[in-house]
Each structure stands twice: as structure tokens, then as C-alpha cells.
Amino acid sequence: MDTNQETPLLTSKNVTTNAHFTGDADDINPIKGINDFFVQFGVESKKLWYLAGPAIFTSVCQYSLGAITQTFAGHVGTLDLAAVSVENSVIAGFSLGILLGMGSALETLCGQAYGAGQIDMLGIYMQRSWVILFVTALIMLPLYLFATPLLLLIGQTEDISHAAGKMALWMIPQLFAYAANYPIAKFLQAQSKIMVMAYISMVALVLHTYFSWLFMLKFEWGLAGGALVLDLSWWFMVIAQMIYIYSGTCGRAWSGFSLAAFSNLWGFVKLSFASAIMLCLEVWYFMALVLFAGYLKNAEIAVDALSICTNILGWAIMASIGFNAAVSVRVSNELGAAHPRTAKFSVVVVVISAFLVGVLFAILLGIFRHQYPALFADSLEVQKAVYSLTPLLAACLIINNVQPALSGVAIGAGWQAVIAYINIACYYIFGIPLGLCLGFAANWGVKGIWIGMLTGTVVQTTILIWICYRTNWDKEASMAEIRIRKWSGQKEVAGEQ
């Protein structure tokens, strides 16, 4: 299916101001009756899954790189598993949250510009994002260099802190791969070029799995081998995607490097910062879950069990991140093209679809609840702890499948700053204090921490659904037009010509 054929683009040369603001041309007709709803649901589902399917596959492959390294580490030793878990969750998780968040500003701008026909600006936006993210990565470098004392400072055990700190030093190349990869991903997503990302990620995953087994277990290099393979896998994806872009397959979207990428950087930084705050607060929320487990009695077992659960949850969340990417493209493209009713209906479709997928995952987990813990750890004590957390994990599979999809709506519409405030209130003022009270004061342990934090996610998801329901989508289409003019106005376009 070619989405460009199904949703004709509105360019600056062939759209009048009146037509753009009314949003009538090619917008979805008002839905009349249940039969009409299912017909339109089927049409929009095809468009959504055209994007979401490859995006989910790509997300699963990319997440699985770290998860497979963590899985092999579990067969090397419990300390190795704890070290990889803490490095992935705390150090790399912190970095990923900032860089992915900063890069998500590109999702709003590229998606709405593509919908409005401002194709030439996509490459410039990507270059601006590269500049900002590489500078951000340099600022974050001390986090990797001084990971051991930082982990000791926040109360992690000495053994875990030293092992995770050594792992962090080896993972510095991954930090800069993040900075290069996320702008590329948003650039390609806005153009619905998802399949190439899926193919590259699949090849990277196959190679990563084989070489991780070879270096970590066969050659007995342990964490050093895992870190080497993980770094190379991420840079393989970056280089392969850049070759694809430079080969001319993106047409007008990439016309080479331009000095225009260095103009209006501060305005781009502000939008990127708002995006980073929004997504960081979500990523760090689950990072904090593993961190707090490190303060419990028998911390090594608690961290290992919880890291296995978050590992599985992370794989499942990749499906919702695929929905996140797909709906952000659909909403931003349709708002940029002045199709507010279509944008609104895309939200309905993605929420229902994400919920059903989450339920499916929870059912599968229930069926294999006796078998899956042994895949991640040889320790019977760790397996028993994981099994006891299975009901909570099943609930999370449903809730945390819907929440990231709703965040994609916020990114597509450009609501990052508003959602950031909601995340602060629901996660850090409500969820974490409740989790700490249940986990430590009520002596519920890991279960109490997780229940409290899951409650914060439920509240945040409910608020996002209410916001989407109350939104004036006609107004959002008008605001998208204003945003496009601000970031790719006549002066800037003329300068490029």
C-alpha cells in the first residue's frame, strides 16, 4: 500500500490558505452509524499497520540487541547479569531517554512538514537534530566515564557498581550511535520509509545474536565481548541507513549537507528540550524501578528478577513504540495536510489496536508462565522471584502498551511540553512516592514498588485519553500550519534555493 497515493500531499504551491485551514479536501467524512465506523476503522487500520508493522519489527530488533546481551550475561553469572541490567537501565537508559526525546522533536516537524509538502526541509531538520544530539552526547560523556562513583553515590552495592561502571566505559560508542541513529529514524519515518529500517535492523539482530554467543560464551570474553558486539551492532545500523539516504532514494528530502542546518538552532533546541523532558520522564520512570530494587534486602536477586521482567516488558513495549511511531506519522501528516477528522480517528484506531495487542501479550505470558523464567537465568532463586512477579508483569503488558501509543499522538500533534507536566505529576509526585511507601514502609518489597509505579502509569494514561477526547482537532490543524510556517518559512526556503 502506498500511503502517498491514499493521502495526497498539500504543497505550498498547490494549496490555498483557505483550503488548508478548513481541512475539507480528502479529510475523512463524519462517521454515521456502527457500520460506517467499522468500515472507516478497517481503512485506517490498513494505513496504521502499513507503518506500525515494520516499525514494531524494527523496534523489537533494536531493543533485542541489548536484551540479548543481557540474556547471555545471565548465563555468564548473576553479577554479570546485574551489571548489564544496571548499565542498560540506568546509564544507557538515562542516555537513551535524553537522546530519543531530543530526537522526537524531529518527529513533529518532519511529519507535519511532509504532510504540508515541504519535503526539502526534512534533510535540513535532520542535520540540525544531528548537531544538537552530538553536542548533547558530549555533555553526557562524564556519566559514562564516572559511572562507578555515581552508582555508589546513589546507593548501589560496590560489586554491582564496579562491574556496571566498567561496562559503561565499554559502551561509550553506543552513546554516539544513539545520537546519530534517532534523527535518521525520524527522518525516514516521516516519509513512511519504514521497511528499509526493518531490513537493516533484522540483519543487525541476526549478526548480533551469533557474535554475542561467540564472544560472550564460546570465547568466554564475558561482558567485554558483549559490549564490543553491542557497539558494533548499533553502528552497523547507523552506517547502513546513512548509505541508503545518501544513495538518493529519498529524493527531495535529502539534497546534501547545508549550512542552513546551523540556522535557528536555539529555537530547535527549545523544542527538542521539551520533547526530551516528556520522553525522559517516561524512560527514567522504569529505570527508577530497577534502581529502587537495588536498595532492597538481597539486592542482587531482586535486581536480577526485576530486570528479567523489565526485559520482557521492554520487548512488549516495542510493539507500542511501533504504534507510537505509526500514529505520530499519521497524526502529524494529517494535521500538516489539514485533515483534522482523519487525525482524530487515527487516535481512536491506535488506542483500540494497542489495547488488543497488550491483551494478547498478557494471555501468552499466562500460558508460558512456568517456562519463561528459565530462559533468562540459571539460578532457581531468581526464577522463583520472576514467577512471583508474573501477574504484575501481565498487567503492565496491557497498560504500557496503550500509554506509549498515546505519547505518539502527543508527539505528532506537538504537545510535548504539556505532557511533560502531566508526567511529572503522575509519575514523580504520585507514582514513585506511592511505590516507595508500599515497597519499604509497607514492606511489600519489589511488588509494592511496582504496584505503586504502575498506578502512576494508569493515572497518566487516563489523563492522556481524556485530553485526546477533549481536543479541538480543527484548531490543531491550524496550529500545525503556523508551526510549519515558523520552521520552514519563505525566507528559509528561499535561502536554500
Side-chain angles (χ1 to χ4, degrees):
M1 187 191 308
D2 189 346
T3 54
N4 291 339
Q5 293 177 357
E6 294 191 22
T7 308
L9 297 177
L10 306 180
T11 67
S12 56
K13 295 181 179 180
N14 64 14
V15 178
T16 65
T17 301
N18 183 58
H20 194 84
F21 275 106
T22 56
D24 293 330
D26 299 309
D27 200 3
I28 189 174
N29 293 322
I31 295 175
K32 300 177 181 178
I34 190 68
N35 290 333
D36 193 19
F37 172 84
F38 282 112
V39 170
Q40 295 294 347
F41 188 94
V43 172
E44 180 59 32
S45 291
K46 290 179 181 178
K47 295 179 181 179
L48 183 70
W49 278 101
Y50 173 82
L51 297 169
I56 290 171
F57 183 78
T58 300
S59 298
V60 169
C61 288
Q62 292 185 358
Y63 176 81
S64 296
L65 298 178
I68 284 173
T69 300
Q70 187 169 315
T71 299
F72 281 124
H75 295 285
V76 174
T78 56
L79 179 61
D80 300 88
L81 175 58
V84 174
S85 301
V86 170
E87 194 282 329
N88 273 341
S89 300
V90 180
I91 308 299
F94 184 91
S95 306
L96 183 145
I98 291 178
L99 294 174
L100 179 59
M102 297 284 279
S104 73
L106 204 62
E107 214 163 337
T108 303
L109 297 175
C110 280
Q112 294 186 0
Y114 188 81
Q118 299 284 355
I119 311 298
D120 303 81
M121 293 305 302
L122 269 64
I124 295 174
Y125 289 157
M126 180 173 67
Q127 292 172 61
R128 284 181 186 165
S129 190
W130 270 339
V131 172
I132 293 169
L133 264 65
F134 272 106
V135 171
T136 304
L138 286 172
I139 295 172
M140 294 169 57
L141 189 56
L143 177 66
Y144 284 70
L145 297 175
F146 303 104
T148 296
L150 286 172
L151 290 171
L152 288 170
L153 183 64
I154 59 178
Q156 291 295 300
T157 66
E158 187 170 344
D159 289 342
I160 292 177
S161 296
H162 282 288
K166 185 182 294 185
M167 182 75 176
L169 290 175
W170 293 332
M171 295 312 302
I172 288 175
Q174 184 191 52
L175 170 66
F176 291 94
Y178 285 162
N181 180 71
Y182 293 127
I184 295 173
K186 306 310 178 186
F187 171 83
L188 292 173
Q189 284 174 10
Q191 305 167 69
S192 300
K193 294 183 180 296
I194 308 292
M195 286 305 301
V196 64
M197 297 169 60
Y199 289 136
I200 291 172
S201 299
M202 178 182 66
V203 173
L205 178 60
V206 172
L207 294 175
H208 179 81
T209 303
Y210 172 73
F211 284 107
S212 292
W213 168 81
L214 186 67
F215 285 104
M216 294 183 72
L217 300 183
K218 186 69 174 179
F219 292 167
E220 298 183 351
W221 287 14
L223 295 186
L228 173 65
V229 176
L230 191 54
D231 288 333
L232 291 176
S233 297
W234 272 95
W235 274 106
F236 167 80
M237 292 189 295
V238 170
I239 293 170
Q241 289 174 137
M242 291 175 70
I243 291 173
Y244 174 81
I245 293 172
Y246 295 162
S247 66
T249 52
C250 295
R252 289 168 49 203
W254 177 258
S255 55
F257 293 97
S258 171
L259 291 176
F262 294 93
S263 64
N264 201 16
L265 276 177
W266 178 241
F268 208 96
V269 167
K270 290 191 290 185
L271 182 61
S272 297
F273 188 66
S275 301
I277 292 175
M278 171 191 153
L279 285 184
C280 282
L281 292 172
E282 296 177 3
V283 173
W284 294 345
Y285 193 55
F286 285 96
M287 177 188 77
L289 183 58
V290 176
L291 189 64
F292 292 142
Y295 301 139
L296 295 169
K297 295 179 181 178
N298 201 2
E300 194 171 302
I301 298 298
V303 170
D304 284 355
L306 195 56
S307 67
I308 289 171
C309 291
T310 55
N311 196 347
I312 295 171
L313 180 61
W315 263 317
I317 286 178
M318 291 305 105
S320 61
I321 288 180
F323 285 124
N324 176 294
V327 76
S328 69
V329 171
R330 292 291 301 135
V331 170
S332 60
N333 282 181
E334 297 299 343
L335 289 178
H339 299 158
R341 289 193 297 270
T342 304
K344 180 179 180 179
F345 194 66
S346 296
V347 177
V348 175
V349 173
V350 77
V351 169
I352 294 174
S353 301
F355 175 78
L356 293 176
V357 170
V359 170
L360 176 62
F361 287 157
I363 292 173
L364 290 175
L365 184 74
I367 293 174
F368 296 104
R369 63 189 181 278
H370 296 290
Q371 290 79 26
Y372 79 88
L375 297 176
F376 296 91
D378 294 331
S379 169
L380 293 177
E381 194 173 1
V382 173
Q383 292 179 26
K384 183 178 179 180
V386 172
Y387 178 78
S388 69
L389 293 173
T390 296
L392 272 176
L393 179 57
C396 275
L397 289 175
I398 298 174
I399 299 300
N400 288 298
N401 215 54
V402 175
Q403 187 275 332
L406 289 169
S407 293
V409 177
I411 292 170
W415 301 339
Q416 288 95 325
V418 175
I419 304 303
Y421 288 114
I422 294 173
N423 287 350
I424 290 173
C426 294
Y427 290 163
Y428 296 90
I429 297 177
F430 177 70
I432 285 181
L434 178 60
L436 293 177
C437 287
L438 295 177
F440 292 95
N443 202 29
W444 288 9
V446 173
K447 289 184 180 180
I449 297 173
W450 201 349
I451 288 172
M453 296 178 71
L454 178 60
T455 304
T457 304
V458 171
V459 173
Q460 188 255 17
T461 303
T462 303
I463 293 174
L464 286 182
I465 292 173
W466 181 80
I467 289 175
C468 291
Y469 174 75
R470 297 287 298 173
T471 293
N472 183 333
W473 291 94
D474 292 307
K475 182 179 179 181
E476 291 299 325
S478 299
M479 291 177 67
E481 170 70 13
I482 295 170
R483 187 178 292 113
I484 292 166
R485 289 178 177 175
K486 174 183 176 182
W487 290 99
S488 57
Q490 293 298 319
K491 289 183 180 181
E492 187 168 1
V493 175
E496 277 303 291
Q497 295 173 346

